[in-house]
Amino acid sequence: MSDNQKVKILVCDDDLTARILMKETLASDSIEVIEAENGQRAIEQFEKHSPALLLLDVSMPKMNGFEVCEHIRGHEKGKHIPVIMVTGSDDLESIHKSYAVGATDFIAKPIKWPILGERVKYILRASQAFADLVTQQHELHQLAFYDSLTGLPNRQYLMQDLQRFLAMAERNNYQAAMLFIDLDRFKRINDTMGHSYGDKLLRKVAHRLQANLRDSDTFARVGSEQSSQEPQLSSFGGDEFTIFLSRLNDPNEAMLVAERVIRSFSTPFQLEQFEVVVTPSIGISMFPNDGDNAETLLKNADTAMYFAKQSGRCCYKFYQDSMNAKAAARLQLEQDLRRALKSDEIVPFYQPQICAQSGRIVGVEALVRWLPAKGGIIPPDEFIPIAEETGLINELGRLVLERGCYQAKQWFDEGNPVRMAINVSAHQFRQLDFTQVVADVLQQCGLAPELLELELTESVIMSDAEENIARLIELKALGVSLAVDDFGTGYSSLSYLKRFPIDILKIDRSFMCDVNSAPDDLAIVEAILALAESLKLGVIAEGIEYGSQIAILKNTNQLLLQGYLFSRPVAAEYISPLLNQDFNHLMPAL
């Protein structure tokens, strides 16, 4: 065993003979004995070698054993190290004083050397067991009260002190604030880059928040009166964090902290070779107005955070009483949606797409509707955002894809080969197995791929153009058609657009509604038509309500028309009678 691996024992006695006998008794292959001839030297040796046990003679020059023991017990490294005092056999006063200054044990002179050796070994074993227990307790404390990923205090840590801080705030009649922080669209980082990158991002976010705690004048002012009540940053797991601020003069101080946090996120996070931008949504609740206990204060800050997300993300919102009623209604809607997905309340409606040249229906777009069992209809703009936030959008999208393909197969079997257009959400498209999902549904339904059209918005396909080109090529290889929905509302690069394997551009309804009265809209429509012609793409004009809107689309190749002029979105049974109908009478001559 090397000297570095040996257990070190420090023996301190001004009697050279005693030191030699101690060294002879205690030294072994596993124990190294270090000597000191007086109290001052003992302290120097202790600080230099950090021994595992000390033997101190009570009577020594310069510093006696009691003074040395007291000094060591006051040292950070000496709180739990075993100290054996060597006293006279009848010196009861020294024995009592030894324990008073923190000695672990004593041994009386004349020393029985074999007994000393066994006693030291026993105390070393007990000391190691105690050290192991302390380490284990520390590890358990870390697991119980700290987030393992970021190293920040967790919810349990915060809650154990929060009620005490709030009670102190109430006694002293001052305000406090809870900031609840959630990272916007964090899930897409995990989905697109993988969980390892997501974990790295969370660690960097925690570090940046901590840096702001240290550097912010507002933080410093808030925590200046009492160190035990400095602003407390905590991790609630996942992408949620909290900051508790005490001793506030008014809510403006909490607002300044929230604004500083938002500004700090404007700099991208570097994850290896990638630069990632992520933004925070922050909810703020104030004590005592928004809650007089920890649970209520946290719940209301969480509620306000949700409204910050609803307001466009990357912002903060203070809690208001009206939020709880709205949040409860939203939670109920989420629960109802989960049930509706399993009870056939979510159904596709279909809106015809008319060939401008023949006047016949050549396609339909599947548009999801929620028909509650208790009656009525819930519009998509009420439940689609909830589906996206909760991850239910993938289940909902799969349901519409399957039912739409089954319906198209049924019409085909009846002699009506109608192309089925299905909207694909960003969440669905980012699924790594989405192409396989589409292939499986086509096979399961027995639908020819050319009768399926997938519609993706311009913003979705442009979100990561290079990667999405590869995904679109995979889908195109299945034989399906690809359309860009809401075209004209995004910022497509023409160089990328030429590389996308798309078949159809859908002109957004916002450009068609006022096309006869808005010169700018007319110019956009004409530009889209020219682009489609140059790229040899088909065109679908949405939002057609009047025949006059169709006139400007003259001379457009592969033109389809969709809108209330022909039919609102309706259930499948109302589409079947229209499939053999001619709509030429509704259209001006093109």
Side-chain angles (χ1 to χ4, degrees):
M1 181 180 291
S2 67
D3 289 344
N4 290 335
Q5 294 174 314
K6 286 186 175 184
V7 174
K8 294 179 180 178
I9 293 176
L10 174 61
V11 297
C12 182
D13 199 309
D14 58 337
D15 184 340
L16 176 60
T17 302
R19 294 202 308 273
I20 291 173
L21 289 170
M22 286 184 186
K23 188 169 185 176
E24 286 292 324
T25 301
L26 301 175
S28 68
D29 291 341
S30 59
I31 295 176
E32 177 185 358
V33 176
I34 302 162
E35 298 178 53
E37 66 276 12
N38 58 57
Q40 186 63 51
R41 180 63 176 160
I43 291 173
E44 292 172 3
Q45 292 284 64
F46 167 77
E47 292 178 348
K48 180 179 179 181
H49 296 285
S50 298
L53 182 143
L54 285 83
L55 276 158
L56 297 177
D57 188 29
V58 167
S59 301
M60 291 186 296
K62 295 190 179 180
M63 288 181 74
N64 62 39
F66 303 130
E67 292 169 325
V68 173
C69 183
E70 198 165 18
H71 178 90
I72 285 171
R73 285 293 182 243
H75 196 285
E76 183 62 33
K77 295 190 296 183
K79 294 184 185 301
H80 304 296
I81 291 176
V83 177
I84 302 175
M85 303 295 288
V86 181
T87 67
S89 60
D90 58 351
D91 190 359
L92 289 178
E93 183 181 349
S94 292
I95 294 171
H96 290 310
K97 193 170 182 179
S98 295
Y99 287 127
V101 296
T104 308
D105 199 359
F106 76 93
I107 191 166
K109 292 182 178 178
I111 297 171
K112 296 179 180 179
W113 300 107
I115 293 176
L116 173 65
E118 293 304 314
R119 200 163 185 173
V120 165
K121 289 177 185 177
Y122 169 78
I123 291 175
L124 281 173
R125 284 198 302 272
S127 176
Q128 184 59 51
F130 177 76
D132 291 343
L133 180 61
V134 169
T135 301
Q136 188 179 26
Q137 287 178 328
H138 176 73
E139 290 173 352
L140 289 172
H141 184 270
Q142 287 293 117
L143 287 172
F145 294 107
Y146 288 84
D147 177 58
S148 59
L149 179 63
T150 63
L152 292 177
N154 62 14
R155 181 189 181 103
Q156 285 70 27
Y157 188 104
L158 175 65
M159 296 301 285
Q160 72 175 356
D161 287 335
L162 195 51
Q163 203 58 51
R164 177 168 55 87
F165 288 163
L166 294 180
M168 193 179 301
E170 187 174 17
R171 284 197 304 272
N172 292 282
N173 197 30
Y174 56 74
Q175 297 182 62
M178 179 64 70
L179 277 66
F180 199 105
I181 304 168
D182 185 276
L183 304 185
D184 299 329
R185 299 186 178 92
F186 174 75
K187 187 174 182 296
R188 68 183 173 86
I189 302 295
N190 280 337
D191 289 346
T192 58
M193 301 180 70
H195 286 273
S196 62
Y197 280 97
D199 289 349
K200 289 175 185 176
L201 177 59
L202 289 175
R203 282 191 287 267
K204 286 183 177 287
V205 166
H207 178 77
R208 189 171 293 185
L209 288 171
Q210 284 176 311
N212 272 276
L213 272 167
R214 290 192 299 269
D215 299 342
S216 170
D217 292 338
T218 304
F219 281 134
R221 184 170 68 256
V222 167
S224 61
E225 295 184 40
Q226 185 173 338
S227 60
S228 65
Q229 282 193 259
E230 290 178 356
Q232 185 165 341
L233 172 65
S234 303
S235 168
F236 266 33
D239 60 336
E240 295 178 336
F241 300 86
T242 61
I243 297 173
F244 175 69
L245 306 172
S246 60
R247 295 184 181 272
L248 298 185
N249 296 314
D250 60 64
N252 283 337
E253 292 185 350
M255 178 189 73
L256 292 174
V257 172
E259 289 177 344
R260 182 182 176 95
V261 168
I262 290 172
R263 283 198 304 274
S264 75
F265 277 71
S266 61
T267 304
F269 291 87
Q270 192 72 39
L271 300 181
E272 296 180 9
Q273 72 271 34
F274 303 107
E275 280 193 345
V276 174
V277 176
V278 66
T279 56
S281 289
I282 305 174
I284 306 172
S285 60
M286 298 298 301
F287 173 87
N289 290 347
D290 300 330
D292 58 3
N293 59 71
E295 290 79 8
T296 304
L297 206 61
L298 269 169
K299 179 177 73 70
N300 289 342
D302 187 10
T303 298
M305 180 276 296
Y306 165 72
F307 280 86
K309 284 191 177 293
Q310 288 241 307
S311 299
R313 299 180 172 88
C314 194
C315 65
Y316 62 87
K317 288 287 180 184
F318 279 88
Y319 173 77
Q320 298 174 5
D321 287 337
S322 61
M323 289 179 175
N324 266 336
K326 293 177 182 177
R330 177 195 175 277
L331 181 60
Q332 185 62 53
L333 196 63
E334 177 187 332
Q335 293 171 348
D336 290 346
L337 178 58
R338 291 182 186 277
R339 177 187 50 76
L341 283 166
K342 294 176 171 58
S343 59
D344 294 330
E345 294 182 13
I346 305 296
V347 299
F349 275 26
Y350 302 97
Q351 188 172 35
Q353 295 173 338
I354 314 300
C355 173
Q357 187 174 7
S358 69
R360 305 289 293 270
I361 296 177
V362 295
V364 295
E365 179 180 3
L367 298 163
V368 67
R369 295 292 185 267
W370 182 356
L371 307 178
K374 59 189 177 185
I377 185 169
I378 299 175
D381 58 1
E382 286 190 24
F383 67 86
I384 293 295
I386 293 176
E388 289 177 338
E389 290 171 20
T390 57
L392 292 172
I393 192 68
N394 290 333
E395 183 179 348
L396 188 152
R398 174 74 181 247
L399 182 150
V400 175
L401 178 64
E402 289 180 353
R403 295 195 177 181
C405 287
Y406 272 119
Q407 185 59 61
K409 180 61 164 65
Q410 181 179 331
W411 283 327
F412 177 81
D413 291 343
E414 294 170 356
N416 297 301
V418 176
R419 186 169 60 195
M420 179 63 63
I422 304 287
N423 291 287
V424 177
S425 72
H427 292 76
Q428 285 177 281
F429 187 59
R430 292 192 188 108
Q431 284 183 289
L432 296 178
D433 64 343
F434 179 65
T435 301
Q436 188 60 49
V437 167
V438 175
D440 291 345
V441 170
L442 285 171
Q443 184 177 21
Q444 172 186 320
C445 299
L447 182 68
E450 58 268 21
L451 290 179
L452 176 62
E453 174 189 305
L454 300 177
E455 296 187 356
L456 299 107
T457 63
E458 188 176 6
S459 58
V460 167
I461 65 171
M462 287 304 300
S463 61
D464 187 348
E466 288 294 347
E467 181 177 329
N468 290 345
I469 286 171
R471 184 71 55 83
L472 291 169
I473 289 172
E474 286 181 4
L475 289 167
K476 188 65 182 166
L478 296 178
V480 303
S481 299
L482 300 175
V484 181
D485 198 7
D486 301 339
F487 191 75
T489 61
Y491 304 94
S492 292
S493 162
L494 182 58
S495 62
Y496 273 117
L497 197 59
K498 290 165 64 176
R499 293 171 58 195
F500 287 133
I502 57 178
D503 305 287
I504 299 169
L505 297 182
K506 294 191 71 174
I507 304 175
D508 186 66
R509 69 184 66 248
S510 63
F511 300 124
M512 296 304 301
C513 288
D514 300 313
V515 78
N516 291 312
S517 58
D520 289 346
D521 288 349
L522 178 58
I524 291 173
V525 170
E526 289 176 342
I528 293 173
L529 294 176
L531 178 62
E533 184 177 2
S534 68
L535 296 178
K536 295 181 174 54
L537 300 176
V539 173
I540 300 177
E542 296 184 285
I544 302 297
E545 298 183 21
Y546 313 104
S548 57
Q549 292 173 289
I550 304 173
I552 65 155
L553 301 169
K554 62 183 178 181
N555 301 322
T556 302
N557 296 319
Q558 305 177 61
L559 174 62
L560 302 185
L561 304 169
Q562 180 178 345
Y564 287 0
L565 178 63
F566 310 105
S567 173
R568 291 176 176 271
V570 292
E573 59 264 31
Y574 297 105
I575 292 291
S576 296
L578 303 178
L579 294 178
N580 295 314
Q581 186 172 325
D582 187 322
F583 289 89
N584 279 324
H585 64 286
L586 297 176
M587 297 185 287
L590 297 180

